[in-house]
Amino acid sequence: MAFDVDKYTATSVSVNWDDLDLERFHEHPLPEGSLRTLRYMADVEYHTVCYTRDLLTTPSHKEADMSAFMTMWNREEFWHGEALATVLGIHGIVVDFDEIKADRLKLGWKDKLDPIKQSIAGKLVGTDFVAVHMAWGAANEWSAITAYNRMAELEEDPVLAELLKRIARQEARHVAFYTSQARDRLAKSRKAQVLARFALKNFWAPVGSSIMERTEVVHVMGHLMGGPEGRKGARKIDAAIAGLPGMEGLTIVEDSLNKLGVAA
Amino acid sequence: MTFANGDSTTHFPAGSDRASPARFDVRAFARSAQGNHRETLRLDEFATDPLSGESLRAVRYLARLESGTMEQLRNLLVTATHKDARITAFLVTWAFEKFWIADALDAVLEANGQRKSHEAAEGSTRRSRIESVERRGPIRRAITGLIQGVPIIGVHVTSGLVDEWITRAAYDRLETASANPALSSAISTILGVKARHVAFFDHEARERLADDPRAASLTRRSLERQVWPIGAIDRADDDRSFFESFVFGSDEGRARAADIGRRVAELTGMDSRIGDAVARKLHA
Ligand SMILES: [Fe+2]
Ligand SMILES: [Fe+2]
């Protein structure tokens, strides 16, 4: 099904929580492990805009629909960060832009080289690489939606659950965009399929892996995708990815959980 | 810098952006972002008072420049600028607001029986050896960005400021030339949105140029050779020539360019050589 970008831009809003009683966290604070997961998610959401550099280092930026989507998508993700930062703020955890900057500056060469690597790949294969980016984005958005829904389910707190469900609903629209793009572009090109399969299989890692400490990645994945229920969610993401043209049989999420030592 | 924003402020993390009282509040900016303007545009009036071909051409060109945010973001984010979470947070809302500025300009085009800016045919880009460095792709930008490091942020915010001065001159010229109340009203809405972008770039540029001599020297080199306005490098040669003569071509236009040059020269670390280089390029 084609994704209607005009309709998306016309209805894109910052996630709203004015009507939610977040103040209740003063009396019913969230457990420390959950706050640690929320902090990770907030950082990842704020970082999303940085990934547009990768998506745009391909011919895809010439397309007005792509630009329009990216503009709104960036903003929605930023507001996911703001929503989570507000919850953290009520718990006395201040998420400050200057502090995030200090953290980003600590990132090593891996992050610095990413755009170059991506650009070179983009140059080499032209429009086929857009398909890879779209498939990659779909995997990340599926992960986001699964993570938020899983956390809403795990937390007893009704207010947090509602906020996370609102975020997850926006992630669902991101999934729709990326999958419709990925599906179309992969279906058109055998080369794109081979490339996407290779990239996902060899380079994909849970969102945030390149910007957060490994201990934090292990904590969050253990929290949200550990145990039999968590593993079930992971398999659902894998099944969705495997449903894209040429991606049959990929199990990148499960593989990465095993690599991180997250018990099923 | 504070901006009128009546709605609740309680849902923000305490002390979110508090380094100095004069500092632009990025979170307040994001919270009061201005989106779709179509409701307030006086589009009906164009039916009886249409714009001239020249004005429409300027509107179309400006719409294309305003909607070039993703290309611009790409060029900024392959460098150390992506490390600065305050800047990236600003740019998210900046791109959103510019998307809707371009949409407002598209609405004006449509009300005048024209196609949207990105749907209309566009000529080929200008081929110039001197400009080839500005045409460098993301790979070369990323590599030089690695060498230049954090001071490049100073270049980006200063270019952003100069670009705002230039587009402001263009909107002023268009407003006077068209003498059309509905367009004047649209331009005043647009300038209202852009005022906050100017405020951000102005504050950031002045701070960074004053704090870091490396940022200042990189900025000198960059301003001298840059193509204006930002994004023009990707636009059609004939539209660029039109813009250069429409906004900066007449005696009055040259005065406008000279004024921008003076303001560049007055920035910390810049001088009249840099200011003149910018001004000269405006009416190429
Ligand atoms: Fe998100
Ligand atoms: Fe998302």
Side-chain angles (χ1 to χ4, degrees), chain B residues 11-271:
Chain B
H11 58 255
F12 273 80
S16 41
D17 194 18
R18 64 196 159 164
S20 81
R23 207 175 184 198
F24 183 95
D25 188 339
V26 170
R27 282 193 151 128
F29 170 58
R31 198 162 62 232
S32 52
Q34 297 176 64
N36 198 328
H37 302 289
R38 285 186 185 243
E39 290 289 299
T40 55
L41 294 172
R42 293 153 49 180
L43 298 174
D44 296 348
E45 295 176 29
F46 291 114
T48 48
D49 188 10
L51 294 176
S52 70
E54 184 186 63
S55 293
L56 287 169
R57 189 170 188 185
V59 169
R60 189 178 307 112
Y61 188 67
L62 285 164
R64 283 175 173 153
L65 291 177
E66 297 286 7
S67 63
T69 54
M70 294 295 111
E71 285 91 337
Q72 201 179 334
L73 259 188
R74 189 266 320 272
N75 290 343
L76 305 191
L77 294 178
V78 293
T79 71
T81 296
H82 85 274
K83 301 281 180 190
D84 194 319
R86 227 180 128 255
I87 306 255
T88 56
F90 167 82
L91 292 172
V92 167
T93 302
W94 164 87
F96 172 82
E97 292 197 326
K98 280 170 78 83
F99 175 89
W100 290 112
I101 287 174
D103 179 73
L105 295 169
D106 275 337
V108 169
L109 290 172
E110 287 175 308
N112 282 273
Q114 305 285 309
R115 307 179 73 136
K116 284 184 181 182
S117 56
H118 64 262
E119 287 166 358
E122 189 174 12
S124 49
T125 53
R126 184 176 292 179
R127 283 290 152 203
S128 147
R129 214 162 44 79
I130 306 158
E131 288 184 358
S132 67
V133 66
E134 293 304 309
R135 216 176 279 286
R136 69 196 184 280
I139 305 171
R140 284 176 59 202
R141 279 181 199 276
I143 292 168
T144 33
L146 271 182
I147 300 160
Q148 290 164 334
V150 172
I152 192 74
I153 306 175
V155 175
H156 290 154
V157 291
T158 309
S159 302
L161 176 62
V162 175
D163 184 62
E164 288 294 345
W165 290 342
I166 294 167
T167 45
R168 173 62 195 259
Y171 281 111
D172 286 346
R173 165 76 175 120
L174 173 61
E175 213 255 309
T176 319
S178 64
N180 179 298
L183 185 66
S184 295
S185 153
I187 288 174
S188 123
T189 300
I190 289 169
L191 294 180
V193 176
K194 289 171 81 69
R196 302 204 292 180
H197 306 172
V198 177
F200 178 82
F201 288 129
D202 189 276
H203 188 83
E204 287 292 321
R206 286 176 203 284
E207 205 171 76
R208 283 165 200 273
L209 291 176
D211 287 356
D212 182 358
R214 277 256 303 144
S217 75
L218 274 179
T219 302
R220 285 175 65 90
R221 288 222 309 267
S222 176
L223 289 187
E224 223 180 346
R225 67 176 189 209
Q226 216 163 314
V227 172
W228 303 102
I230 293 175
I233 193 92
D234 297 318
R235 303 273 65 96
D237 185 14
D238 59 341
D239 287 336
R240 283 177 62 183
S241 300
F242 159 74
F243 181 86
E244 285 152 2
S245 81
F246 177 68
V247 183
F248 299 109
S250 62
D251 284 349
E252 206 187 311
R254 302 220 163 217
R256 257 194 289 271
D259 176 55
I260 290 169
R262 256 191 308 280
R263 289 155 84 182
V264 170
E266 281 164 11
L267 292 170
T268 308
M270 305 305 118
D271 53 31

Side-chain angles (χ1 to χ4, degrees), chain A residues 45 48 73 77 80 140-141 144 170-172 174-175 178:
Chain A
E45 294 286 7
T48 305
W73 171 70
E77 305 290 27
H80 297 169
N140 286 352
E141 296 293 344
Q170 295 197 332
E171 305 294 7
H174 305 165
V175 164
Y178 281 104

